Amino acid sequence: MRVLVADKLSDAGVHELEEHFDVNVRTGLSKPDLIAEIGQYDAVVIRSATNIDADVIAAADRLQVIARAGIGLDNIDVAAATARGVIVCNAPQSNVISAAEHTVALMLSLARDIPQAHASLTSGNWDRSAFQGVELHGKTLGIVGLGRVGALVAQRCSGFGMHLVAYDPYISPERAAQMGVELVPSVPVLCGIADIVTVHLPKTADTAGIVGEDELKAMKPGALVVNTARGGIVDEEALHTALSEGWIAGAALDVYESEPTTESPLFDLDNVVVTPHLGASTSEAQDKAGRMVAEYVRLALSGDFVPSAVNVQVSSGIPETVKPFMGLTEKLGRVFTALQDGPAPELTVEYRGKLADEDTQILTLSAMRGLLSGICGEPVTFVNAPLLAEDRGLRVSTLSARATHDYVSLVRLSAGDVAVAGTLVGPSNRERLVEIWGFDIDMEPSDHMVFFRYSDRPGIVGLIGGRLGEAGINIGTMQVGRHAAGGEALIAMSVDSAIPEDVVEEIAETIGSPEARQIDLES
């Protein structure tokens, strides 16, 4: 598989990609060149310089994953990628420490006039009285967004003896209190009480301009503003007015509404400290980001779940008790499709036993992925599985029940009279099929399996075994299930290689099987 690295990536990240894939590093591609090239690749890795918009995605016939070596996703059309079944992932934890430390560095630089003092001294002036700063100790820090970076900033500023307040509607007061932070109900309230306001939010329609003219007017004359999150979260025009007219004392910015930029009215002000988006610019952060996205690309192109995928309909963090069931559940979906005669209008996924108490969203997606992979002409991913199901009119529902009788946990897929169930056994989580077409069995799923329904009578096992032997097919395991002697029965077998279809049909005719299904999980 081929991977395009379209922006500067750490050597560590490139080397890890090269261990698994054919990697082409081509930075600085224009949009027309990118559109011309992208169709050759299964994955593209970018940072902030390259835009992957709907036009690029439309030209990417092979593309399975877009990986951003950083936190932001504003240069990726996530909706267009989702519609094409392309996984979009980032490296959300890679630069949080660097970003938090840069925030504190800007805060200290702003509070102590360090850049201005440096420029003055290197220009030949020894002017100590011109640069009287303020201490952070005892000041109130207002944090807008108490996520990963915001929490790290709070932790570090607590060491300065600052009083910490924050606005974040998604953090509970109890969790904030554990961090030593007092929650406030709104951004205007926060701005009114803080000596320094720092912003740590993603840029969305709701957060753009969240610190605007009204919020800046509510601040103290000596207050400071720091933004290392995304340009435009602090309204730059309003900020320029606030700084020029003395509403606030100063601002430090690492991000801008339009990037890259070397011109802004803010750059002409003496009470502003600016850096060119350096929040993630440490060797440690770049190495972590490169290694993270290399691993996530490997997972995505292997068909595994990507923890940082932003367009997968599953909550973040898969419980350790759930992860081992992902492969089994996908196999159950593929077996179900093979057993089903024609398209199923609905599917019920049941979780029994301990699984009933877990978040099983990813297992439902795994089941859908397996079920659809046998009937779709395009790759089925965790991203596009719900869309493909909707396109085919497939309704998926889930049930949970704590009782399983014989098993600690069980996954069961059913629609009408077709059902398949499986479980994991032993400390190594061995996969077992335990129900096919309503018959109890106990067999390990394999790459090649075949199932025959028939009327129970002597000699059937010998007939099937003999014919497979003549065809050169070796039987791995065989299970017989029946409801009663002489009634309907099932033979389930795993074999070492695919059985020719004419052999399956011949066996079915010989034993009078109304339903015979061969399943090839290897394809």
Side-chain angles (χ1 to χ4, degrees):
M1 290 185 169
R2 303 193 69 201
V3 176
L4 172 65
V5 177
D7 287 335
K8 174 68 175 173
L9 190 68
S10 69
D11 291 341
V14 173
H15 291 159
E16 289 202 20
L17 286 170
E18 288 175 337
E19 290 180 4
H20 304 281
F21 309 109
D22 178 9
V23 179
N24 190 7
V25 179
R26 295 195 61 191
T27 60
L29 289 172
S30 66
K31 180 175 177 178
D33 288 342
L34 183 60
I35 288 174
E37 292 285 332
I38 196 69
Q40 307 174 49
Y41 297 95
D42 302 282
V44 60
V45 179
I46 63 170
R47 287 180 63 195
S48 58
T50 297
N51 286 315
I52 306 293
D53 60 16
D55 296 333
V56 175
I57 292 168
D61 296 330
R62 290 172 49 177
L63 199 64
Q64 297 182 49
V65 57
I66 302 167
R68 164 77 187 262
I71 294 179
L73 294 165
D74 42 316
N75 55 331
I76 302 172
D77 191 328
V78 177
T82 302
R84 289 290 297 270
V86 179
I87 293 173
V88 177
C89 62
N90 58 358
Q93 305 251 18
S94 62
N95 66 355
V96 292
I97 292 175
S98 294
E101 290 183 355
H102 193 63
T103 300
V104 176
L106 287 178
M107 197 181 301
L108 287 165
S109 297
L110 186 61
R112 299 303 300 269
D113 294 323
I114 291 174
Q116 297 89 337
H118 171 86
S120 175
L121 182 57
T122 56
S123 297
N125 301 309
W126 183 271
D127 193 355
R128 297 177 62 193
S129 61
F131 304 108
Q132 181 174 313
V134 295
E135 292 182 352
L136 298 185
H137 179 80
K139 301 297 190 297
T140 297
L141 176 66
I143 305 169
V144 184
L146 204 54
R148 297 182 186 95
V149 178
L152 289 174
V153 170
Q155 182 186 70
R156 283 149 178 76
C157 289
S158 175
F160 288 124
M162 301 186 78
H163 174 225
L164 306 176
V165 299
Y167 168 74
D168 192 323
Y170 304 105
I171 295 291
S172 69
E174 293 76 17
R175 173 59 183 145
Q178 289 174 354
M179 293 186 275
V181 179
E182 176 189 348
L183 288 183
V184 297
S186 68
V187 176
V189 170
L190 180 141
C191 289
I193 62 177
D195 297 296
I196 303 174
V197 171
T198 182
V199 177
H200 305 286
L201 295 172
K203 187 178 181 180
T204 67
D206 293 330
T207 63
I210 197 169
V211 178
E213 181 178 342
D214 291 342
E215 289 74 21
L216 293 166
K217 282 183 175 178
M219 296 180 73
K220 304 171 184 178
L224 308 174
V225 173
V226 180
N227 184 12
T228 59
R230 280 291 178 267
I233 296 177
V234 177
D235 186 313
E236 292 180 9
E237 184 176 347
L239 180 62
H240 183 271
T241 302
L243 291 164
S244 301
E245 298 186 4
W247 303 353
I248 62 175
L253 304 174
D254 185 47
V255 290
Y256 311 92
E257 197 155 1
S258 176
E259 294 185 14
T261 183
T262 57
E263 296 182 359
S264 168
L266 291 164
F267 295 174
D268 298 327
L269 301 178
D270 293 335
N271 53 350
V272 175
V273 175
V274 293
T275 52
H277 205 147
L278 300 180
S281 294
T282 62
S283 58
E284 293 87 352
Q286 293 309 304
D287 277 351
K288 281 186 281 189
R291 288 193 169 102
M292 279 185 182
V293 295
E295 173 64 7
Y296 295 156
V297 167
R298 186 192 67 77
L299 289 173
L301 295 184
S302 300
D304 294 325
F305 180 73
V306 181
S308 72
V310 300
N311 55 346
V312 174
Q313 296 180 12
V314 61
S315 59
S316 60
I318 303 173
E320 291 300 321
T321 52
V322 170
K323 285 181 182 178
F325 282 87
M326 291 173 62
L328 170 69
T329 308
E330 182 172 337
K331 290 184 178 73
L332 293 178
R334 297 185 68 176
V335 172
F336 180 89
T337 296
L339 299 179
Q340 179 74 25
D341 186 15
E346 59 185 2
L347 173 72
T348 300
V349 186
E350 300 176 56
Y351 302 106
R352 299 180 181 177
K354 287 188 175 180
L355 278 179
D357 297 322
E358 300 286 1
D359 181 352
T360 53
Q361 289 175 292
I362 190 62
L363 297 186
T364 303
L365 286 175
S366 296
M368 295 167 65
R369 185 169 180 242
L371 185 150
L372 293 167
S373 62
I375 59 177
C376 292
E378 59 187 288
V380 182
T381 69
F382 290 111
V383 176
N384 68 356
L387 299 172
L388 294 173
E390 183 178 349
D391 290 344
R392 285 157 179 76
L394 173 64
R395 300 183 301 275
V396 180
S397 59
T398 61
L399 292 174
S400 297
R402 287 184 173 83
T404 61
H405 303 298
D406 299 328
Y407 306 103
V408 175
S409 290
L410 185 80
V411 182
R412 185 174 188 267
L413 277 57
S414 63
D417 63 349
V418 177
V420 57
T423 190
L424 301 177
V425 298
S428 60
N429 288 320
R430 300 193 314 276
E431 297 176 342
R432 309 298 293 181
L433 295 176
V434 298
E435 180 186 353
I436 296 289
W437 270 321
F439 293 94
D440 292 334
I441 63 169
D442 183 10
M443 66 180 289
E444 185 176 356
S446 68
D447 289 338
H448 307 286
M449 295 179 287
V450 64
F451 304 96
F452 297 99
R453 294 176 73 165
Y454 67 101
S455 295
D456 181 39
R457 60 191 188 279
I460 298 300
V461 171
L463 285 172
I464 295 174
R467 183 64 188 93
L468 290 178
E470 293 172 3
I473 304 298
N474 191 49
I475 299 172
T477 59
M478 178 182 290
Q479 284 274 310
V480 176
R482 64 182 186 179
H483 299 306
E488 190 178 33
L490 169 77
I491 284 185
M493 292 185 295
S494 65
V495 293
D496 292 346
S497 57
I499 307 171
E501 282 301 323
D502 60 337
V503 175
V504 175
E505 293 171 2
E506 181 185 334
I507 292 173
E509 184 176 353
T510 300
I511 68 174
S513 172
E515 289 183 284
R517 299 284 190 276
Q518 179 174 211
I519 300 172
D520 183 7
L521 295 181
E522 190 176 50
S523 62

